[in-house]
Amino acid sequence: METAGRPGDGFAEPAGGTTPGRPGETSQTLDRGLRLLHLVADAQGGLTVTEAAHRLGIGRAAVYRLVSALTGHGMLRRDRAGRLRLGAGVLHLARRAQPLLAEGAMPALRRLAEQAGATAHLTVVEGDEGVALAVVEPSWTSFHVAYRTGSRHPLERGAAGRAILAGRTGSAGPVTTEGELQPGAYGVAAPVLGVPGLEASVGVVALAPLDAGSVGGQVLTAAAAIARALS
């Protein structure tokens, strides 16, 4: 069990600190709290208070104060091992933001569906899965894939998830797959890059092979348009 830091415990507050209660300290505390949330979000196994203190460059006592405030708002929680994890409050905010993301992506998705003659979708990350946040079907085709909003799949399967994984390595090019999520279905997707805090991809799925050149270019254009709309 960890205890709050004490003077001389090896974790000194940065020089040039501000006086408690002043606007500068409030801004600094907010910055630290947001940085802590990002650190915990990026740590798959959670973080101890000591690890968080090292990465933030502040004392454990200061981290405990941040944790107390963020836990009170449901943004953080402690698991059975005492490690810091994201709380349900973060999921609540994410769900409230999802309709805004979908609304911002719709114009580009509609253009993509009509151009490619295939079902277009915006997929976002939740844990180790991809979730279809917005789906648009083409208006002029006789047959197309019915892809439901809210559909989930592992990131390792399907063009949408593979594009997100490629985006993590800095690759922006389109990814193509065949029959990975559904036999006879073909997918092309590209990551949506440059939107802080968002891991997503945009793509199309069809019942017939898709031309990787032309459709890939259309998907890339849509991904760039969505990135601009959401930035």
Side-chain angles (χ1 to χ4, degrees), residues 82-162:
R83 299 180 73 84
L84 303 175
R85 306 274 187 167
L86 290 182
V90 173
L91 297 177
H92 175 71
L93 289 178
R95 292 190 184 100
R96 295 292 295 270
Q98 285 181 351
L100 298 177
L101 295 177
E103 181 180 349
M106 289 303 286
L109 290 178
R110 290 192 185 98
R111 287 193 298 270
L112 177 60
E114 295 301 307
Q115 290 172 346
T119 301
H121 52 84
L122 174 70
T123 298
V124 298
V125 173
E126 280 193 11
D128 58 357
E129 293 183 314
V131 181
L133 183 61
V135 176
V136 176
E137 298 176 353
S139 64
W140 56 271
T141 56
S142 299
F143 301 96
H144 54 260
V145 173
Y147 191 39
R148 295 182 179 178
T149 301
S151 297
R152 295 175 174 268
H153 55 81
L155 293 178
E156 294 79 12
R157 294 179 57 197
R162 290 186 180 277

Side-chain angles (χ1 to χ4, degrees), residues 40-69:
V40 174
D42 291 338
Q44 293 186 355
L47 286 178
T48 67
V49 169
T50 299
E51 289 169 339
H54 274 296
R55 298 185 188 188
L56 290 172
I58 61 177
R60 288 185 297 171
V63 174
Y64 272 105
R65 289 193 293 271
L66 293 174
V67 170
S68 177

